[in-house]
Amino acid sequence: VIVNTDYARFLLLAREIRDLGAAGALLAWDQEVLLPPKGLAARARHRAALAGVVHEKMCAPGYGELVDGLASAGGLDNHAGVGGQAGHAATAVREAKRDRDRAVKIPHALVTELAEAVSLSQQAWQAARARDDWPAFAPHLARLVALKRREAAAVGHEGEPYNALLDEFEPGARVETLAPLLSGLAAEIVPLIAAIGEARARAGDDPGALLRGDFDVVRQEQFSREVLVGMGFDLAAGRLDVSAHPFTSGTGPGDVRLTTRYDPCDLRVGLYATIHEGGHGLYEQGIPAEFEGTPLGDCASLGIHESQSRLWENFVGRSRAFWEHWTPRARELFPERLGRATPETLHRAVNEVRPSLIRIEADEVTYNLHIALRLELERALLAGEIETADLPALWNARLQATLGLTPATNREGVLQDIHWACGLFGYFPTYTLGNLYAAQLREAAAAALGDLDALIARGDTTPLLAWLRARVHARGRLLSADALCREVTGRELETAPFVRYLQGKFGALYGV
Amino acid sequence: VIVNTDYARFLLLAREIRDLGAAGALLAWDQEVLLPPKGLAARARHRAALAGVVHEKMCAPGYGELVDGLASAGGLDNHAGVGGQAGHAATAVREAKRDRDRAVKIPHALVTELAEAVSLSQQAWQAARARDDWPAFAPHLARLVALKRREAAAVGHEGEPYNALLDEFEPGARVETLAPLLSGLAAEIVPLIAAIGEARARAGDDPGALLRGDFDVVRQEQFSREVLVGMGFDLAAGRLDVSAHPFTSGTGPGDVRLTTRYDPCDLRVGLYATIHEGGHGLYEQGIPAEFEGTPLGDCASLGIHESQSRLWENFVGRSRAFWEHWTPRARELFPERLGRATPETLHRAVNEVRPSLIRIEADEVTYNLHIALRLELERALLAGEIETADLPALWNARLQATLGLTPATNREGVLQDIHWACGLFGYFPTYTLGNLYAAQLREAAAAALGDLDALIARGDTTPLLAWLRARVHARGRLLSADALCREVTGRELETAPFVRYLQGKFGALYGV
């Protein structure tokens, strides 16, 4: 009975913390999508105040005693708990304790200082990127790196300070394991890129030209919405808006907000941003309603989150089967540009492999090299081996070494991504983890469902979504990323499925 | 020195409370404008959690000791304080104490219960109004009335319980004074309505027909934005969006959010909603930046707030001079409907006096009778003299007695306004106060600026806005509504200026 009462009180307090966090998420979303420019400074303060309150509630002694008491009492294993399943209650307490133990180590002043610095730095980044003005952004970044180093020191870490930050996004991951995984992957990818480069030079054609040119933005939006609904995204429980940098946010499974960005001269930019964020959005909408407002109403990790977006974007959206289904509609919406397009030509157009400057526009083969570059730089920043002032030169040198390209402007180089401006260090590697998890999940889904391409070509991704819902989305935060991967795919995370996928797909496309 | 330090600490804590309040305002705005329907239930929780935190912070003993200590120390009179003006610091403390003294009387559970009930009831109201389903809304309203009666009892009051609620919107006002003011006004208006009715019957024409018909909504929005910018509203510090019920909200003077509602068959609905909310928005944008986040960064009262919206909507927007300036643009935007319109015909079209069912579409003459009806009903509800179940019948009977009309549906009757669904009892009378303050301010502005109509006809409302900024907006919450009225107009609030205005304008228009 005592456990029951304490558990009920714990759920109320945990829910309050998550509810206030959801309010903060709305303020952040609104800042990117709607906020008038003159409201930015005050918004930074509002977000800092909310972050402060969330931290206060998390650190409140009463909540701590409840969480620690329930965690050590151990009487929860047979308690029905969240969602009415045995074991869920114990997991909810364990995850809440994990969050709280991290939070109490961070000084309150650092939390609000970081929240305000992030909000101001996001604003500075937008202006600096628009004007290609690195010096205007550099002091903000330096301040954020200093604050994040203080956070890492406060949280504590085995191995490098980087691990303290990585752990927030990918619980349990360590950079000492992750970096070799990424280098190993790079070693397998680099020869493939070279072979494709040669094949492309021999062919001398430009398949992507089909989707560059004039594409009416209103019709692009229409197409994006149709594809999104086709994937199973529920627009009565979510929105699709426009922002400078596409992202997924929201305040719960009934309010999942995707943003995209339409390029009036390239159909691929908006469409694939929508499908990518749509994959994230399906995960968020699939988290069980009974987990909402509890510590279980969350993703397993950002790597798992990214596996959902990359799975839909690449394995579904960039498949030949996708265009078997969608070519007629694309021809209807864009008769002048695509009147004679075929699934074959569209498939080739969306799978151009070509080293490029911008990560979010990179093809599937070169994409992870962009991530490896960012991981290397932020790891060195956090370890204090380099300074933010060194970043532009190092960025350009590393990109030249990896992809043979040097950006003409910082706007296309070190200023391209919003992440560092948001204080998100330790986040980028989750993108590559996402690609790897996605490939491994895809093999498992294919083993379970049979010919995925046949389903996709019929426009029927319902079985795929149902499989993902049951195996991934419905678990919320019950399982760690590792455990989920083992349970669903039967194996630890490996690079092999992803490399197999790349070699199969691009080998066929380029005849290499 | 001690006063200085305590005052600085007080400002920080007061700012935190206001910042969290601003976050709550964004959640409320978003709910009306953007929120997907399946997110409503969770949003109610998020808003309740925020309201709870604001109340907690307000009631925290440390804050109370600071506020009470500073208020009784009295050493602040010569302290530069907020905005660098002597006396501001003492006023900031006085107003903070006023807010706090009210807040601590309300039990915490009642605050969060009310916030959640309001959010759910708003949702129920929207659905009920759409389907004309009074029984679906009635239990929500009954719950809110019960909660507000508990609030009134907790806050305490001289005279009727109604005063405890009125005081939140119109500090210091009392229903025992207000009700006779409204009846007195009605006594003067009723003969004017009768005379106009006879004149209208004799003339037998329909001047409003000019603005009924097909008006493209995209062009209506364009027109609304141009008029808004012409008034001096800064779209870099605000937004104009669409919602079911037009309102003004936002999170500070750099982020002022107006909503409007376009009727594809009547140009007046959207245009005058925009000008009305634009008047509110100018007030909000005119509150000094150095008051933001302090107890002074607020309006004097809702009556004063409404005076700004009604002044722009009616005295500017429905003047003949307004159409002298805007007719050419209106003809350009709507050539088919308005190609032959003149300032004269447009002026007549927007000043049709005709008893009507819907308050927000009522003309200036009959408008305050709608308010008197609502005041009477909510006063009786709060006093426990009637039940919510009696409302539809009472509403219809009173409307028949006052305006000679009976609504065919509750949608056009008791369900038309959002206010009661938001728990806003004691709010409606501020609309009539707004009309009265506006007329008195208008006479003062005309005395100071000379021929206002000549300026409006040139499209130059800058001097008017500058006058309002200096006399009203820039004072924030330094003066009470009473004191502001006396200082700016040299007199107590009276009905005479408004009655003079109505008789002058409509006497001329209708020849009565």
Side-chain angles (χ1 to χ4, degrees):
Chain A
V1 174
I2 287 171
V3 165
N4 269 323
T5 313
D6 282 356
Y7 183 69
R9 283 175 51 221
F10 154 73
L11 279 184
L12 276 179
L13 292 176
R15 195 178 80 169
E16 187 186 22
I17 293 171
R18 290 194 70 87
D19 285 348
L20 294 168
L26 186 75
L27 267 64
W29 175 88
D30 182 88
Q31 178 171 333
E32 294 307 307
V33 180
L34 298 175
L35 187 67
K38 293 185 185 170
L40 276 161
R43 179 59 56 87
R45 261 195 6 242
H46 305 154
R47 288 175 63 181
L50 255 177
V53 166
V54 168
H55 190 250
E56 239 170 67
K57 297 270 176 192
M58 191 83 106
C59 297
Y63 180 61
E65 283 157 25
L66 267 180
V67 170
D68 291 342
L70 286 165
S72 63
L76 285 173
D77 287 343
N78 296 314
H79 187 70
V82 175
Q85 301 271 336
H88 284 192
T91 311
V93 169
R94 185 193 71 210
E95 293 302 309
K97 182 165 163 54
R98 190 186 143 77
D99 291 342
R100 188 184 135 83
D101 288 349
R102 180 185 176 96
V104 294
K105 291 184 197 151
I106 309 176
H108 189 73
L110 180 56
V111 169
T112 53
E113 203 179 338
L114 250 170
E116 188 158 3
V118 160
S119 203
L120 294 172
S121 132
Q122 269 177 275
Q123 167 185 2
W125 169 79
Q126 281 193 347
R129 192 176 78 142
R131 296 193 311 265
D132 188 36
D133 185 359
W134 164 258
F137 178 57
H140 287 275
L141 188 58
R143 185 174 170 215
L144 281 182
V145 170
L147 292 169
K148 294 304 278 190
R149 290 186 65 182
R150 277 170 54 199
E151 183 184 324
V155 169
H157 44 87
E158 293 180 26
E160 299 181 26
Y162 193 79
N163 286 332
L165 304 183
L166 180 60
D167 188 67
E168 192 182 351
F169 308 114
E170 203 62 27
R174 295 191 50 166
V175 70
E176 294 84 357
T177 322
L178 207 79
L181 198 77
L182 265 73
S183 334
L185 181 62
E188 303 214 58
I189 286 171
V190 166
L192 183 61
I193 296 173
I196 291 173
E198 283 164 31
R200 212 180 55 226
R202 275 197 307 274
D205 63 349
D206 179 10
L210 181 65
L211 293 177
R212 292 193 301 271
D214 219 14
F215 286 91
D216 177 65
V217 165
V218 173
R219 287 177 166 245
Q220 283 197 50
E221 197 198 327
Q222 176 66 25
F223 193 35
S224 270
R225 283 182 188 273
E226 289 179 19
V227 170
L228 203 54
V229 169
M231 289 164 63
F233 186 79
D234 180 359
L235 280 168
R239 302 182 48 86
L240 176 66
D241 296 277
V242 166
S243 68
H245 202 98
F247 68 100
T248 295
S249 175
T251 63
D255 177 26
V256 177
R257 304 189 178 201
L258 321 178
T259 72
T260 188
R261 176 171 71 92
Y262 302 106
D263 181 338
C265 301
D266 193 329
L267 185 63
R268 294 171 293 191
V269 175
L271 176 63
Y272 286 99
T274 302
I275 303 176
H276 179 97
E277 302 306 333
H280 283 303
L282 288 173
Y283 188 6
E284 293 284 331
Q285 289 187 338
I287 290 181
E290 63 268 31
F291 288 3
E292 197 190 349
T294 81
L296 301 182
D298 211 333
C299 61
S301 78
L302 289 198
I304 297 295
H305 222 309
E306 189 72 9
S307 77
Q308 301 305 294
S309 57
R310 299 296 276 179
L311 189 151
W312 286 95
E313 178 191 359
N314 292 330
F315 307 157
V316 177
R318 290 190 213 269
S319 69
R320 161 100 191 211
F322 175 86
W323 286 108
E324 296 286 348
H325 178 69
W326 284 104
T327 296
R329 185 59 182 144
R331 289 171 64 156
E332 238 168 57
L333 281 167
F334 308 103
E336 296 192 4
R337 305 278 326 160
L338 302 183
R340 304 171 68 180
T342 64
E344 166 69 23
T345 58
L346 284 162
H347 182 224
R348 282 173 54 81
V350 302
N351 284 294
E352 228 181 352
V353 176
R354 188 190 291 274
S356 64
L357 297 168
I358 306 294
R359 176 185 60 86
I360 60 166
E361 292 167 12
D363 59 79
E364 296 176 72
V365 187
T366 58
Y367 185 91
N368 297 294
L369 302 180
H370 290 270
I371 300 304
L373 158 69
R374 285 155 179 77
L375 171 57
E376 195 181 311
L377 293 177
E378 59 185 26
R379 191 181 179 188
L381 271 177
L382 266 293
E385 294 161 10
I386 62 171
E387 301 292 326
T388 48
D390 307 326
L391 282 177
L394 285 170
W395 181 287
N396 295 353
R398 284 299 290 128
L399 198 75
Q400 182 62 43
T402 322
L403 287 172
L405 295 171
T406 298
T409 63
N410 286 319
R411 192 187 147 90
E412 300 164 294
V414 68
L415 279 175
Q416 70 181 263
D417 285 312
I418 198 175
H419 301 63
W420 291 344
C422 298
L424 298 171
F425 298 90
Y427 187 112
F428 277 119
T430 66
Y431 288 132
T432 290
L433 287 174
N435 286 323
L436 302 181
Y437 280 127
Q440 207 156 321
L441 286 170
R442 177 179 164 274
E443 290 191 351
L449 302 173
D451 190 349
L452 281 180
D453 279 338
L455 290 167
I456 296 168
R458 286 206 306 272
D460 180 14
T461 48
T462 315
L464 174 61
L465 179 56
W467 188 87
L468 292 168
R469 282 268 146 95
R471 308 266 170 331
V472 181
H473 307 180
R475 321 304 274 271
R477 199 179 166 189
L478 281 173
L479 300 173
S480 69
D482 277 1
L484 187 72
C485 181
R486 273 194 304 273
E487 196 191 292
V488 180
T489 74
R491 306 178 66 92
E492 303 284 333
L493 182 66
E494 300 171 320
T495 56
F498 183 58
V499 173
R500 272 198 292 276
Y501 161 77
L502 290 182
Q503 284 170 343
K505 174 173 179 176
F506 292 95
L509 268 165
Y510 283 90
V512 295
Chain B
V1 174
I2 287 171
V3 165
N4 268 324
T5 314
D6 281 356
Y7 184 68
R9 283 173 53 220
F10 155 72
L11 280 184
L12 277 177
L13 292 177
R15 196 177 80 170
E16 187 187 21
I17 292 171
R18 288 194 71 86
D19 285 348
L20 294 168
L26 185 75
L27 267 64
W29 175 87
D30 182 87
Q31 178 171 333
E32 293 308 307
V33 180
L34 299 174
L35 187 67
K38 293 185 184 171
L40 276 162
R43 177 60 55 88
R45 262 196 6 242
H46 304 154
R47 288 175 64 181
L50 255 176
V53 166
V54 168
H55 190 249
E56 238 172 67
K57 297 270 175 192
M58 191 83 105
C59 297
Y63 180 62
E65 282 159 24
L66 267 180
V67 171
D68 291 340
L70 286 165
S72 62
L76 285 174
D77 286 344
N78 296 313
H79 187 70
V82 176
Q85 303 269 337
H88 284 192
T91 311
V93 169
R94 185 193 70 211
E95 293 303 309
K97 182 164 163 55
R98 191 186 142 78
D99 291 342
R100 190 184 132 81
D101 287 349
R102 180 183 177 95
V104 294
K105 291 183 198 150
I106 308 175
H108 189 73
L110 180 56
V111 170
T112 52
E113 202 179 339
L114 250 170
E116 189 160 0
V118 159
S119 202
L120 294 172
S121 133
Q122 269 177 275
Q123 167 185 3
W125 169 79
Q126 281 193 349
R129 191 176 78 140
R131 297 192 310 266
D132 187 36
D133 185 358
W134 163 259
F137 177 57
H140 287 275
L141 188 57
R143 184 173 170 214
L144 281 182
V145 170
L147 291 169
K148 295 302 280 188
R149 290 186 65 183
R150 278 171 53 197
E151 182 184 323
V155 168
H157 44 86
E158 292 179 28
E160 298 180 28
Y162 193 79
N163 287 330
L165 304 183
L166 179 60
D167 189 68
E168 191 181 352
F169 308 115
E170 203 64 25
R174 294 190 53 164
V175 72
E176 294 84 359
T177 322
L178 206 79
L181 198 77
L182 264 73
S183 333
L185 182 62
E188 303 214 57
I189 287 172
V190 166
L192 183 60
I193 297 173
I196 292 174
E198 283 164 29
R200 213 182 53 227
R202 277 197 304 275
D205 62 349
D206 180 9
L210 183 65
L211 294 176
R212 293 194 301 271
D214 218 15
F215 287 92
D216 177 65
V217 166
V218 173
R219 286 176 168 244
Q220 283 198 49
E221 196 198 330
Q222 175 66 24
F223 193 36
S224 269
R225 283 181 187 273
E226 289 179 19
V227 169
L228 203 55
V229 169
M231 288 164 63
F233 186 79
D234 180 0
L235 281 168
R239 302 182 49 85
L240 176 65
D241 295 276
V242 166
S243 67
H245 202 96
F247 68 99
T248 296
S249 176
T251 62
D255 177 27
V256 177
R257 304 190 178 200
L258 321 177
T259 71
T260 189
R261 176 171 73 91
Y262 302 106
D263 179 338
C265 301
D266 194 328
L267 184 63
R268 294 170 293 190
V269 176
L271 176 63
Y272 286 97
T274 301
I275 302 177
H276 179 99
E277 303 305 332
H280 283 303
L282 289 173
Y283 187 9
E284 293 283 332
Q285 289 188 340
I287 290 181
E290 62 268 30
F291 288 2
E292 197 190 349
T294 81
L296 301 182
D298 213 332
C299 61
S301 78
L302 289 199
I304 297 295
H305 222 310
E306 190 71 8
S307 77
Q308 301 305 293
S309 57
R310 297 296 277 181
L311 190 151
W312 287 94
E313 178 191 358
N314 291 332
F315 306 158
V316 177
R318 289 189 215 269
S319 70
R320 160 99 192 213
F322 176 87
W323 286 109
E324 295 286 348
H325 178 69
W326 284 105
T327 296
R329 185 58 180 145
R331 290 171 63 155
E332 239 168 56
L333 281 167
F334 307 102
E336 296 192 4
R337 304 279 326 161
L338 302 182
R340 303 171 68 178
T342 63
E344 167 70 23
T345 57
L346 285 162
H347 182 225
R348 282 173 53 80
V350 302
N351 283 294
E352 227 179 352
V353 176
R354 187 189 292 275
S356 64
L357 297 169
I358 306 293
R359 175 184 60 85
I360 59 166
E361 293 166 13
D363 59 80
E364 296 175 70
V365 187
T366 56
Y367 185 90
N368 297 294
L369 301 181
H370 290 270
I371 301 304
L373 158 69
R374 285 156 179 77
L375 170 58
E376 194 181 313
L377 293 177
E378 58 184 28
R379 192 181 179 187
L381 271 177
L382 266 294
E385 294 163 12
I386 61 171
E387 301 293 326
T388 47
D390 308 326
L391 283 176
L394 284 171
W395 182 287
N396 295 353
R398 285 298 291 127
L399 198 75
Q400 183 61 45
T402 322
L403 287 171
L405 295 172
T406 297
T409 63
N410 286 319
R411 189 189 149 91
E412 300 164 293
V414 67
L415 279 175
Q416 71 181 261
D417 285 312
I418 197 175
H419 301 64
W420 291 344
C422 298
L424 297 171
F425 298 91
Y427 187 111
F428 277 119
T430 68
Y431 288 132
T432 290
L433 287 174
N435 287 323
L436 301 181
Y437 281 126
Q440 208 157 319
L441 286 171
R442 177 178 164 274
E443 291 192 350
L449 301 174
D451 190 349
L452 279 180
D453 279 339
L455 291 168
I456 297 169
R458 287 206 305 272
D460 180 14
T461 47
T462 317
L464 175 61
L465 178 56
W467 188 88
L468 292 168
R469 282 268 147 95
R471 307 264 171 333
V472 181
H473 307 180
R475 320 305 275 271
R477 200 178 165 189
L478 280 173
L479 301 174
S480 69
D482 277 1
L484 186 73
C485 181
R486 274 194 304 272
E487 196 191 291
V488 179
T489 73
R491 304 177 68 92
E492 302 283 334
L493 181 65
E494 300 171 320
T495 56
F498 183 59
V499 173
R500 272 198 291 277
Y501 160 78
L502 290 182
Q503 285 171 341
K505 175 173 177 175
F506 293 95
L509 267 166
Y510 283 90
V512 295

